[in-house]
Amino acid sequence: MRKAFVETLVDLAGRDERIFLVTADLGWSALEPFADRFPRRFLNVGVAEQNMLGIATGLAKIGYVPFAYSIANFSSMRCYEQFRNGPVFHGLPVRVIGMGGGFSYGHAGPSHFSLEDLALARLQPGALALAPVDSAQTRSILLQLQAVPGPAYLRLDKTEEPDIPALNGLFAFNAPQLVRPGNDLLLLSTGSIAQEALKASDLLQNHGIAAAVAVQAHLSFRAEDALIDLLRTHRAVVTVEEAFRTGGLGSLVAEAIAVHGLSCRLCNQGVNLPLDGVTGSREYMRRRHGLDATSLADRARLFLQELS
Amino acid sequence: MVPTTLAPLTDLKRMSRTMRAWIITQSFDSKVGHIGSALSVVEIMAVLWGRVLRGAGTSAPDRDYFVLSKGHAALALYCAFRWNGLIDAATFQTYCKDGTLLGVHPEVGTPGVDIAAGSLGQGLSIACGLAYGLKLRGSEARVYTLLSDAECNEGQVWEAAMFAAHQRLNNLTALVDVNGMQALGRTRDVLDLGPMKRRWQEFGWLARDVNGHDEAELLAALEENRIQEDGPFVVLAHTALGKGVSFMEDRLEWHYRNLTPELAKKALAEIAQAEEP
């Protein structure tokens, strides 16, 4: 996903002189294609995320479209107030890149986990909170963002996983994309953990459960029609996010159900405990918090039993 | 860059005196504090908005930019806007009244304001972004920002200070309103910033100490700055909180207090009796 991000950004910057890349001293072995080709529009501000957001605000004010890059926990939290008071309040097209959301940096431990970023970005009605599920969707989002005059936060993965075939990189603001139909249950996810939801759907198939899979890369401030319509067609939904359970996708769906009086029942899966010092690979951390395919399938089956 | 003509400073002194009176009448009318902070930057605002800034507050593409990082002194900024005709008297009098765009701090959409402020420590970074981008474009516009001395408690100020020096942003001028007073006491007692000049110099800035209530000194420093080439420039403007009103000068409570009719009358009388420019 990171490679797709940089390639697309290079492509866009070749056609659009407003595109600017600012980093808080991260992106080794990733950002070079941009830095080498557009040295005048590449800026490393040092380990200073708050200053980075201020600089991006100033650059955007005079017409640039700055992408402000750091690891997700840093770029979403260390400079959250600067994001709010700068690009959000001023309605400026700063794109904050949160590289490696969720447990991407597993061995680096809790300081490097990013389990709040999307919820924080989603809190701002003046910003877009985006978590593409694969590389193809990352490209789509970057292309569509070109027409967006205000700010956005993008959670991206640094690893390169295969694209989800049935998605074909499709993306629309405020809307989920259905990638697999199914009548018994809906698995709705955001970001790269969609891969686990797909595998969970495979496992449920073995138990005779037809689980639809949909992805919602844009965690909108409020639930819009496309999501509400999708939820109307299902009696049960399991939300899957590599994030704390409150504030993000699960909350968006809960709000949709409650506000619009939907009959769909919700099982919201995400990290549900305070972080401790235990670390490991991303796969291990997902398992530990019940976010791997097997745990998700087990939880979904239990949920359906509870409902019947 | 050719220095602007050094006309007699009586116009700036008259501007300062008028702005000072407007601060008193308007904060009394609106019953809003921060009077002391506004009074301490009157001469700075007069010199910037009366002489130095070119096109600031307009939408001209190559205009100078001004960022009021110490946003709580916005009343003094609005006075300068009124003097320059960027806002009219009726708009000025909406200060801090319901539905106004002229709040305690400069907001998005306030006439003449490019960058909103209110949370200390953030303006210098935005000024850096403006200055870096303008240089990249080959623009001759300059960026000015005004900070408070206590604002320099914020770590982000020094992130930006490092950046500006490293990038040799010679189109950037910071002014620090060194009135020595912060929210709960004197800066030297709360978190000592001294020696301020050496700190900025060690961070790679050209620094000048000036009397922040002397238009001539301020103007001379800013004109010298216009032709300097090495890097960013900081003017340490030594001022007094509440300057120009005897019972407010250097008194902490005038960060907060509102004027009674009697005190407003007394303050206006003192300002009127000050030396005729």
Side-chain angles (χ1 to χ4, degrees):
Chain A
M1 205 183 277
R2 181 163 70 172
K3 199 156 170 271
F5 161 69
V6 176
E7 281 171 5
T8 310
L9 200 63
V10 167
D11 183 37
L12 288 173
R15 291 180 268 141
D16 183 349
E17 293 193 344
R18 301 172 308 155
I19 303 274
F20 204 111
L21 179 56
V22 195
T23 175
D25 204 34
L26 286 169
W28 185 76
S29 193
L31 303 184
E32 291 83 355
F34 189 101
D36 292 345
R37 184 145 166 222
F38 307 105
R40 282 168 56 83
R41 285 186 276 152
F42 175 77
L43 179 58
N44 181 356
V45 304
V47 191
E49 297 79 11
Q50 300 173 57
N51 193 38
M52 171 169 74
L53 255 289
I55 287 167
T57 302
L59 288 169
K61 179 68 189 174
I62 57 167
Y64 288 103
V65 177
F67 285 70
Y69 181 102
S70 188
I71 295 180
N73 50 299
F74 304 137
S75 64
S76 66
M77 286 187 278
R78 186 64 166 266
C79 44
Y80 185 71
E81 195 203 7
Q82 285 78 5
F83 179 58
R84 182 189 78 136
N85 293 5
V88 177
F89 283 0
H90 292 80
L92 292 170
V94 172
R95 285 72 168 98
V96 175
I97 302 301
M99 184 51 62
F103 294 117
S104 289
Y105 287 87
H107 295 288
S111 67
H112 283 59
F113 297 159
S114 188
L115 304 174
E116 307 92 335
D117 54 340
L118 290 165
L120 287 169
R122 198 192 146 226
L123 277 174
Q124 298 295 335
L128 301 173
L130 302 162
V133 303
D134 62 13
S135 295
Q137 201 182 41
T138 302
R139 284 188 204 96
S140 298
I141 288 177
L142 289 171
L143 293 175
Q144 291 192 39
L145 268 180
Q146 283 289 92
V148 174
Y153 171 80
L154 277 92
R155 178 203 270 203
L156 300 177
D157 257 34
K158 66 184 161 73
T159 49
E160 308 299 329
E161 301 293 332
D163 286 341
I164 292 175
L167 181 60
N168 295 319
L170 286 178
F171 171 78
F173 291 111
N174 297 309
Q177 301 287 340
L178 190 66
V179 296
R180 179 181 293 177
N183 290 326
D184 298 326
L185 175 76
L186 172 65
L187 294 169
L188 182 64
S189 60
T190 193
S192 65
I193 204 160
Q195 303 276 4
E196 300 289 341
L198 264 179
K199 286 181 213 154
S201 169
D202 292 338
L203 295 173
L204 289 166
Q205 195 82 51
N206 299 337
H207 292 272
I209 297 169
V213 178
V215 298
Q216 173 113 11
H218 177 193
L219 297 191
S220 43
F221 181 69
R222 68 181 78 79
E224 303 289 352
D225 289 350
L227 175 62
I228 296 161
D229 292 345
L230 177 68
L231 294 173
R232 271 191 215 288
T233 61
H234 289 273
R235 74 182 184 99
V237 57
V238 177
T239 55
V240 181
E241 56 197 314
E242 200 170 359
F244 284 126
R245 206 173 275 189
T246 296
L249 180 64
S251 291
L252 175 64
V253 170
E255 291 159 21
I257 290 170
V259 172
H260 297 275
L262 308 180
S263 58
C264 182
R265 296 293 302 272
L266 168 65
C267 171
N268 55 342
Q269 293 301 291
V271 178
N272 203 29
L273 295 167
L275 291 175
D276 55 21
V278 176
T279 65
S281 65
R282 185 182 208 183
E283 293 67 34
Y284 169 79
M285 293 308 296
R286 282 180 172 180
R287 274 202 309 280
R288 189 160 187 265
H289 290 278
L291 295 172
D292 60 303
T294 306
S295 305
L296 291 168
D298 289 349
R299 187 69 192 88
R301 284 171 59 208
L302 191 64
F303 178 50
L304 286 178
Q305 283 165 21
E306 288 163 3
L307 291 183
S308 60
Chain B
M1 194 59 50
V2 183
T4 50
T5 319
L6 282 176
L9 297 179
T10 47
D11 58 330
L12 292 184
K13 290 181 186 297
R14 193 169 296 126
M15 181 176 174
S16 297
R17 199 162 79 150
T18 307
M19 285 170 59
R20 199 158 259 127
W22 284 344
I23 287 169
I24 298 299
T25 50
Q26 196 53 49
S27 55
F28 173 68
D29 181 51
S30 301
K31 300 179 178 58
V32 173
H34 283 305
I35 305 168
S37 305
L39 289 175
S40 79
V41 300
V42 161
E43 284 77 15
I44 295 169
M45 291 292 188
V47 170
L48 283 171
W49 288 88
R51 196 65 65 83
V52 172
L53 293 169
R54 291 163 304 178
T58 71
S59 54
D62 258 354
R63 67 186 181 277
D64 288 346
Y65 284 82
F66 176 71
V67 180
L68 182 61
S69 195
K70 57 167 290 184
H72 54 282
L75 180 53
L77 181 66
Y78 306 149
C79 289
F81 287 174
R82 179 179 172 183
W83 179 271
N84 279 1
L86 283 167
I87 57 174
D88 58 24
T91 304
F92 177 76
Q93 284 155 10
T94 68
Y95 173 68
C96 285
K97 293 177 183 170
D98 288 349
T100 188
L101 280 167
L102 275 58
V104 166
H105 306 100
E107 301 299 348
V108 174
T110 306
V113 168
D114 277 310
I115 299 295
S119 177
L120 293 176
Q122 301 184 11
L124 186 58
S125 294
I126 297 176
C128 282
L130 292 166
Y132 189 92
L134 288 168
K135 273 189 81 159
L136 203 57
R137 292 210 165 143
S139 167
E140 301 219 326
R142 296 192 57 86
V143 181
Y144 295 83
T145 182
L146 175 59
L147 294 81
S148 82
D149 47 1
E151 183 175 4
C152 299
N153 293 174
E154 293 278 6
Q156 189 185 347
V157 169
W158 302 102
E159 291 183 3
M162 280 185 270
F163 174 86
H166 181 79
Q167 299 293 344
R168 297 177 177 275
L169 296 181
N170 58 355
N171 57 344
L172 173 65
T173 300
L175 299 102
V176 183
D177 175 27
V178 188
N179 63 27
M181 200 71 91
Q182 57 192 101
L184 294 184
R186 296 196 179 276
T187 55
R188 68 166 181 266
D189 297 328
V190 175
L191 191 59
D192 194 2
L193 296 155
M196 189 73 118
K197 184 176 179 184
R198 243 179 51 211
R199 291 188 185 208
W200 285 93
Q201 285 172 330
E202 293 294 335
F203 271 75
W205 288 58
L206 188 64
R208 288 276 179 281
D209 281 308
V210 304
N211 175 350
H213 296 305
D214 184 319
E215 289 90 347
E217 273 195 41
L218 281 163
L219 190 57
L222 291 170
E223 292 296 353
E224 168 197 16
N225 166 226
R226 201 182 277 282
I227 52 170
Q228 60 89 18
E229 282 172 6
D230 289 338
F233 182 64
V234 61
V235 176
L236 304 170
H238 295 268
T239 62
L241 184 82
K243 175 72 177 178
V245 179
S246 59
F247 59 87
M248 291 186 184
E249 269 187 38
D250 204 31
R251 300 286 295 268
L252 176 71
E253 64 267 29
W254 287 100
H255 267 150
Y256 307 100
R257 279 187 66 183
N258 288 331
L259 288 157
T260 61
E262 297 71 35
L263 287 177
K265 204 172 151 189
K266 186 162 182 266
L268 286 171
E270 283 189 18
I271 291 164
Q273 281 161 16
E275 192 188 344
E276 179 69 31

mmCIF file of all heavy atoms in Angstrom, chain A residues 102-103 110 113-116 241-246 268-278 284-291:
data_model
loop_
_atom_site.group_PDB
_atom_site.id
_atom_site.type_symbol
_atom_site.label_atom_id
_atom_site.label_comp_id
_atom_site.label_asym_id
_atom_site.label_seq_id
_atom_site.Cartn_x
_atom_site.Cartn_y
_atom_site.Cartn_z
ATOM 1 N N GLY A 102 -3.098 0.691 13.025
ATOM 2 C CA GLY A 102 -3.367 -0.519 13.803
ATOM 3 C C GLY A 102 -2.093 -1.069 14.434
ATOM 4 O O GLY A 102 -1.322 -0.340 15.058
ATOM 5 N N PHE A 103 -1.892 -2.381 14.228
ATOM 6 C CA PHE A 103 -0.718 -3.057 14.782
ATOM 7 C C PHE A 103 0.391 -3.223 13.750
ATOM 8 O O PHE A 103 1.231 -4.117 13.877
ATOM 9 C CB PHE A 103 -1.120 -4.437 15.319
ATOM 10 C CG PHE A 103 -2.055 -4.394 16.494
ATOM 11 C CD1 PHE A 103 -3.335 -4.929 16.404
ATOM 12 C CD2 PHE A 103 -1.653 -3.829 17.702
ATOM 13 C CE1 PHE A 103 -4.202 -4.905 17.490
ATOM 14 C CE2 PHE A 103 -2.510 -3.801 18.798
ATOM 15 C CZ PHE A 103 -3.788 -4.338 18.693
ATOM 16 N N PRO A 110 3.367 -0.603 21.978
ATOM 17 C CA PRO A 110 2.207 0.283 22.084
ATOM 18 C C PRO A 110 2.476 1.729 21.674
ATOM 19 O O PRO A 110 1.570 2.392 21.163
ATOM 20 C CB PRO A 110 1.845 0.218 23.571
ATOM 21 C CG PRO A 110 2.441 -1.044 24.060
ATOM 22 C CD PRO A 110 3.634 -1.340 23.213
ATOM 23 N N PHE A 113 1.633 1.691 18.113
ATOM 24 C CA PHE A 113 0.337 1.227 17.631
ATOM 25 C C PHE A 113 -0.550 2.441 17.384
ATOM 26 O O PHE A 113 -0.453 3.444 18.085
ATOM 27 C CB PHE A 113 -0.349 0.309 18.665
ATOM 28 C CG PHE A 113 0.417 -0.949 18.949
ATOM 29 C CD1 PHE A 113 0.192 -1.663 20.121
ATOM 30 C CD2 PHE A 113 1.361 -1.439 18.055
ATOM 31 C CE1 PHE A 113 0.895 -2.827 20.397
ATOM 32 C CE2 PHE A 113 2.072 -2.602 18.320
ATOM 33 C CZ PHE A 113 1.836 -3.299 19.499
ATOM 34 N N SER A 114 -1.416 2.313 16.407
ATOM 35 C CA SER A 114 -2.308 3.431 16.117
ATOM 36 C C SER A 114 -3.738 2.904 16.119
ATOM 37 O O SER A 114 -4.226 2.370 15.129
ATOM 38 C CB SER A 114 -1.955 4.052 14.770
ATOM 39 O OG SER A 114 -2.705 5.223 14.600
ATOM 40 N N LEU A 115 -4.383 3.028 17.254
ATOM 41 C CA LEU A 115 -5.715 2.456 17.438
ATOM 42 C C LEU A 115 -6.774 3.541 17.634
ATOM 43 O O LEU A 115 -7.944 3.243 17.844
ATOM 44 C CB LEU A 115 -5.701 1.507 18.648
ATOM 45 C CG LEU A 115 -4.659 0.372 18.563
ATOM 46 C CD1 LEU A 115 -4.613 -0.425 19.854
ATOM 47 C CD2 LEU A 115 -4.933 -0.544 17.385
ATOM 48 N N GLU A 116 -6.340 4.788 17.591
ATOM 49 C CA GLU A 116 -7.250 5.926 17.797
ATOM 50 C C GLU A 116 -7.341 6.841 16.596
ATOM 51 O O GLU A 116 -8.193 7.738 16.560
ATOM 52 C CB GLU A 116 -6.771 6.779 18.995
ATOM 53 C CG GLU A 116 -6.539 6.035 20.286
ATOM 54 C CD GLU A 116 -5.098 5.559 20.434
ATOM 55 O OE1 GLU A 116 -4.400 5.376 19.410
ATOM 56 O OE2 GLU A 116 -4.659 5.359 21.587
ATOM 57 N N GLU A 241 -12.462 -3.737 12.832
ATOM 58 C CA GLU A 241 -11.508 -2.641 12.664
ATOM 59 C C GLU A 241 -10.285 -2.874 13.538
ATOM 60 O O GLU A 241 -10.397 -3.371 14.664
ATOM 61 C CB GLU A 241 -12.152 -1.292 12.987
ATOM 62 C CG GLU A 241 -12.759 -1.199 14.380
ATOM 63 C CD GLU A 241 -13.736 -0.032 14.500
ATOM 64 O OE1 GLU A 241 -13.404 1.059 14.049
ATOM 65 O OE2 GLU A 241 -14.837 -0.241 15.057
ATOM 66 N N GLU A 242 -9.135 -2.517 13.001
ATOM 67 C CA GLU A 242 -7.875 -2.648 13.747
ATOM 68 C C GLU A 242 -7.683 -1.341 14.517
ATOM 69 O O GLU A 242 -6.859 -0.502 14.167
ATOM 70 C CB GLU A 242 -6.725 -2.903 12.769
ATOM 71 C CG GLU A 242 -5.501 -3.515 13.413
ATOM 72 C CD GLU A 242 -4.487 -3.972 12.368
ATOM 73 O OE1 GLU A 242 -4.756 -3.820 11.152
ATOM 74 O OE2 GLU A 242 -3.425 -4.473 12.766
ATOM 75 N N ALA A 243 -8.508 -1.214 15.533
ATOM 76 C CA ALA A 243 -8.599 0.055 16.261
ATOM 77 C C ALA A 243 -9.320 -0.230 17.570
ATOM 78 O O ALA A 243 -9.907 -1.301 17.739
ATOM 79 C CB ALA A 243 -9.405 1.069 15.456
ATOM 80 N N PHE A 244 -9.276 0.722 18.481
ATOM 81 C CA PHE A 244 -10.128 0.581 19.649
ATOM 82 C C PHE A 244 -11.586 0.515 19.195
ATOM 83 O O PHE A 244 -11.956 1.047 18.152
ATOM 84 C CB PHE A 244 -9.920 1.737 20.627
ATOM 85 C CG PHE A 244 -8.651 1.631 21.426
ATOM 86 C CD1 PHE A 244 -7.732 2.681 21.450
ATOM 87 C CD2 PHE A 244 -8.358 0.481 22.157
ATOM 88 C CE1 PHE A 244 -6.562 2.593 22.178
ATOM 89 C CE2 PHE A 244 -7.183 0.388 22.899
ATOM 90 C CZ PHE A 244 -6.280 1.441 22.908
ATOM 91 N N ARG A 245 -12.404 -0.132 19.999
ATOM 92 C CA ARG A 245 -13.736 -0.483 19.560
ATOM 93 C C ARG A 245 -14.667 0.731 19.468
ATOM 94 O O ARG A 245 -15.703 0.687 18.820
ATOM 95 C CB ARG A 245 -14.309 -1.519 20.547
ATOM 96 C CG ARG A 245 -15.354 -2.400 19.942
ATOM 97 C CD ARG A 245 -15.758 -3.497 20.904
ATOM 98 N NE ARG A 245 -14.867 -4.653 20.837
ATOM 99 C CZ ARG A 245 -15.136 -5.801 21.469
ATOM 100 N NH1 ARG A 245 -16.230 -5.936 22.192
ATOM 101 N NH2 ARG A 245 -14.301 -6.809 21.378
ATOM 102 N N THR A 246 -14.285 1.820 20.148
ATOM 103 C CA THR A 246 -15.167 2.988 20.205
ATOM 104 C C THR A 246 -14.651 4.118 19.319
ATOM 105 O O THR A 246 -13.463 4.379 19.291
ATOM 106 C CB THR A 246 -15.263 3.482 21.657
ATOM 107 O OG1 THR A 246 -15.876 2.468 22.422
ATOM 108 C CG2 THR A 246 -16.094 4.747 21.757
ATOM 109 N N ASN A 268 -19.651 -5.397 17.376
ATOM 110 C CA ASN A 268 -18.537 -4.529 16.971
ATOM 111 C C ASN A 268 -17.207 -5.098 17.448
ATOM 112 O O ASN A 268 -16.952 -5.185 18.646
ATOM 113 C CB ASN A 268 -18.746 -3.105 17.496
ATOM 114 C CG ASN A 268 -18.947 -3.045 18.988
ATOM 115 O OD1 ASN A 268 -19.259 -4.059 19.616
ATOM 116 N ND2 ASN A 268 -18.763 -1.890 19.575
ATOM 117 N N GLN A 269 -16.375 -5.484 16.507
ATOM 118 C CA GLN A 269 -15.095 -6.093 16.846
ATOM 119 C C GLN A 269 -13.950 -5.101 16.650
ATOM 120 O O GLN A 269 -13.809 -4.493 15.584
ATOM 121 C CB GLN A 269 -14.866 -7.351 15.993
ATOM 122 C CG GLN A 269 -15.839 -8.465 16.327
ATOM 123 C CD GLN A 269 -15.741 -8.868 17.800
ATOM 124 O OE1 GLN A 269 -14.749 -9.440 18.232
ATOM 125 N NE2 GLN A 269 -16.767 -8.552 18.571
ATOM 126 N N GLY A 270 -13.170 -4.978 17.698
ATOM 127 C CA GLY A 270 -12.008 -4.096 17.684
ATOM 128 C C GLY A 270 -11.287 -4.320 18.985
ATOM 129 O O GLY A 270 -11.685 -5.173 19.775
ATOM 130 N N VAL A 271 -10.244 -3.574 19.226
ATOM 131 C CA VAL A 271 -9.491 -3.752 20.465
ATOM 132 C C VAL A 271 -10.341 -3.234 21.620
ATOM 133 O O VAL A 271 -10.826 -2.102 21.584
ATOM 134 C CB VAL A 271 -8.139 -3.012 20.393
ATOM 135 C CG1 VAL A 271 -7.377 -3.164 21.696
ATOM 136 C CG2 VAL A 271 -7.316 -3.553 19.222
ATOM 137 N N ASN A 272 -10.488 -4.085 22.642
ATOM 138 C CA ASN A 272 -11.449 -3.781 23.695
ATOM 139 C C ASN A 272 -10.801 -3.667 25.057
ATOM 140 O O ASN A 272 -11.476 -3.641 26.069
ATOM 141 C CB ASN A 272 -12.517 -4.893 23.729
ATOM 142 C CG ASN A 272 -13.806 -4.409 24.360
ATOM 143 O OD1 ASN A 272 -14.121 -3.225 24.292
ATOM 144 N ND2 ASN A 272 -14.533 -5.314 24.987
ATOM 145 N N LEU A 273 -9.485 -3.659 25.085
ATOM 146 C CA LEU A 273 -8.765 -3.612 26.359
ATOM 147 C C LEU A 273 -7.732 -2.498 26.310
ATOM 148 O O LEU A 273 -7.257 -2.145 25.236
ATOM 149 C CB LEU A 273 -8.026 -4.944 26.583
ATOM 150 C CG LEU A 273 -8.878 -6.199 26.757
ATOM 151 C CD1 LEU A 273 -8.005 -7.434 26.649
ATOM 152 C CD2 LEU A 273 -9.585 -6.152 28.110
ATOM 153 N N PRO A 274 -7.359 -1.975 27.472
ATOM 154 C CA PRO A 274 -6.228 -1.037 27.467
ATOM 155 C C PRO A 274 -4.976 -1.766 27.003
ATOM 156 O O PRO A 274 -4.840 -2.973 27.235
ATOM 157 C CB PRO A 274 -6.093 -0.617 28.936
ATOM 158 C CG PRO A 274 -7.326 -1.084 29.615
ATOM 159 C CD PRO A 274 -7.869 -2.227 28.819
ATOM 160 N N LEU A 275 -4.077 -1.042 26.367
ATOM 161 C CA LEU A 275 -2.852 -1.690 25.900
ATOM 162 C C LEU A 275 -1.947 -2.012 27.078
ATOM 163 O O LEU A 275 -1.849 -1.247 28.040
ATOM 164 C CB LEU A 275 -2.119 -0.774 24.927
ATOM 165 C CG LEU A 275 -2.819 -0.563 23.579
ATOM 166 C CD1 LEU A 275 -2.056 0.450 22.750
ATOM 167 C CD2 LEU A 275 -2.956 -1.884 22.834
ATOM 168 N N ASP A 276 -1.288 -3.175 27.006
ATOM 169 C CA ASP A 276 -0.234 -3.478 27.971
ATOM 170 C C ASP A 276 1.089 -3.522 27.218
ATOM 171 O O ASP A 276 1.173 -3.078 26.081
ATOM 172 C CB ASP A 276 -0.538 -4.795 28.693
ATOM 173 C CG ASP A 276 -0.743 -5.949 27.733
ATOM 174 O OD1 ASP A 276 -0.267 -5.853 26.574
ATOM 175 O OD2 ASP A 276 -1.379 -6.941 28.126
ATOM 176 N N GLY A 277 2.102 -4.026 27.850
ATOM 177 C CA GLY A 277 3.435 -3.980 27.231
ATOM 178 C C GLY A 277 3.739 -5.149 26.311
ATOM 179 O O GLY A 277 4.840 -5.229 25.766
ATOM 180 N N VAL A 278 2.799 -6.060 26.139
ATOM 181 C CA VAL A 278 3.062 -7.243 25.318
ATOM 182 C C VAL A 278 3.114 -6.854 23.841
ATOM 183 O O VAL A 278 2.221 -6.163 23.352
ATOM 184 C CB VAL A 278 1.966 -8.314 25.542
ATOM 185 C CG1 VAL A 278 2.191 -9.503 24.620
ATOM 186 C CG2 VAL A 278 1.958 -8.754 27.001
ATOM 187 N N TYR A 284 0.325 -11.742 15.352
ATOM 188 C CA TYR A 284 0.146 -12.123 16.757
ATOM 189 C C TYR A 284 -0.769 -11.127 17.477
ATOM 190 O O TYR A 284 -1.689 -11.519 18.214
ATOM 191 C CB TYR A 284 1.514 -12.192 17.462
ATOM 192 C CG TYR A 284 1.372 -12.324 18.959
ATOM 193 C CD1 TYR A 284 1.079 -13.557 19.547
ATOM 194 C CD2 TYR A 284 1.463 -11.198 19.788
ATOM 195 C CE1 TYR A 284 0.892 -13.665 20.919
ATOM 196 C CE2 TYR A 284 1.273 -11.300 21.157
ATOM 197 C CZ TYR A 284 0.993 -12.532 21.719
ATOM 198 O OH TYR A 284 0.804 -12.639 23.061
ATOM 199 N N MET A 285 -0.520 -9.854 17.254
ATOM 200 C CA MET A 285 -1.317 -8.834 17.954
ATOM 201 C C MET A 285 -2.788 -8.898 17.530
ATOM 202 O O MET A 285 -3.692 -8.730 18.355
ATOM 203 C CB MET A 285 -0.750 -7.429 17.689
ATOM 204 C CG MET A 285 0.630 -7.152 18.286
ATOM 205 S SD MET A 285 0.797 -7.523 20.056
ATOM 206 C CE MET A 285 -0.361 -6.346 20.759
ATOM 207 N N ARG A 286 -3.015 -9.174 16.258
ATOM 208 C CA ARG A 286 -4.406 -9.327 15.805
ATOM 209 C C ARG A 286 -5.069 -10.528 16.502
ATOM 210 O O ARG A 286 -6.207 -10.435 16.962
ATOM 211 C CB ARG A 286 -4.450 -9.506 14.281
ATOM 212 C CG ARG A 286 -4.276 -8.200 13.508
ATOM 213 C CD ARG A 286 -4.331 -8.449 11.997
ATOM 214 N NE ARG A 286 -4.357 -7.184 11.256
ATOM 215 C CZ ARG A 286 -4.396 -7.108 9.928
ATOM 216 N NH1 ARG A 286 -4.408 -8.207 9.190
ATOM 217 N NH2 ARG A 286 -4.427 -5.933 9.330
ATOM 218 N N ARG A 287 -4.318 -11.643 16.563
ATOM 219 C CA ARG A 287 -4.868 -12.834 17.237
ATOM 220 C C ARG A 287 -5.165 -12.535 18.700
ATOM 221 O O ARG A 287 -6.210 -12.895 19.243
ATOM 222 C CB ARG A 287 -3.853 -13.991 17.167
ATOM 223 C CG ARG A 287 -3.934 -14.835 15.910
ATOM 224 C CD ARG A 287 -3.316 -16.222 16.135
ATOM 225 N NE ARG A 287 -1.989 -16.233 16.717
ATOM 226 C CZ ARG A 287 -0.866 -16.014 16.031
ATOM 227 N NH1 ARG A 287 -0.905 -15.749 14.734
ATOM 228 N NH2 ARG A 287 0.316 -16.052 16.643
ATOM 229 N N ARG A 288 -4.208 -11.837 19.306
ATOM 230 C CA ARG A 288 -4.328 -11.551 20.741
ATOM 231 C C ARG A 288 -5.584 -10.737 21.050
ATOM 232 O O ARG A 288 -6.164 -10.847 22.136
ATOM 233 C CB ARG A 288 -3.075 -10.793 21.198
ATOM 234 C CG ARG A 288 -2.948 -10.617 22.687
ATOM 235 C CD ARG A 288 -1.524 -10.317 23.097
ATOM 236 N NE ARG A 288 -1.433 -10.317 24.559
ATOM 237 C CZ ARG A 288 -1.534 -9.217 25.295
ATOM 238 N NH1 ARG A 288 -1.689 -8.052 24.726
ATOM 239 N NH2 ARG A 288 -1.478 -9.304 26.615
ATOM 240 N N HIS A 289 -5.995 -9.933 20.101
ATOM 241 C CA HIS A 289 -7.177 -9.084 20.323
ATOM 242 C C HIS A 289 -8.396 -9.576 19.551
ATOM 243 O O HIS A 289 -9.357 -8.823 19.361
ATOM 244 C CB HIS A 289 -6.852 -7.627 19.978
ATOM 245 C CG HIS A 289 -5.901 -7.008 20.964
ATOM 246 N ND1 HIS A 289 -6.307 -6.497 22.172
ATOM 247 C CD2 HIS A 289 -4.550 -6.873 20.933
ATOM 248 C CE1 HIS A 289 -5.255 -6.052 22.838
ATOM 249 N NE2 HIS A 289 -4.183 -6.262 22.114
ATOM 250 N N GLY A 290 -8.360 -10.855 19.119
ATOM 251 C CA GLY A 290 -9.528 -11.457 18.485
ATOM 252 C C GLY A 290 -9.850 -10.901 17.116
ATOM 253 O O GLY A 290 -11.017 -10.923 16.698
ATOM 254 N N LEU A 291 -8.831 -10.396 16.427
ATOM 255 C CA LEU A 291 -9.086 -9.757 15.140
ATOM 256 C C LEU A 291 -8.521 -10.544 13.964
ATOM 257 O O LEU A 291 -8.460 -10.024 12.840
ATOM 258 C CB LEU A 291 -8.501 -8.326 15.142
ATOM 259 C CG LEU A 291 -9.181 -7.377 16.138
ATOM 260 C CD1 LEU A 291 -8.421 -6.051 16.225
ATOM 261 C CD2 LEU A 291 -10.635 -7.128 15.757
#
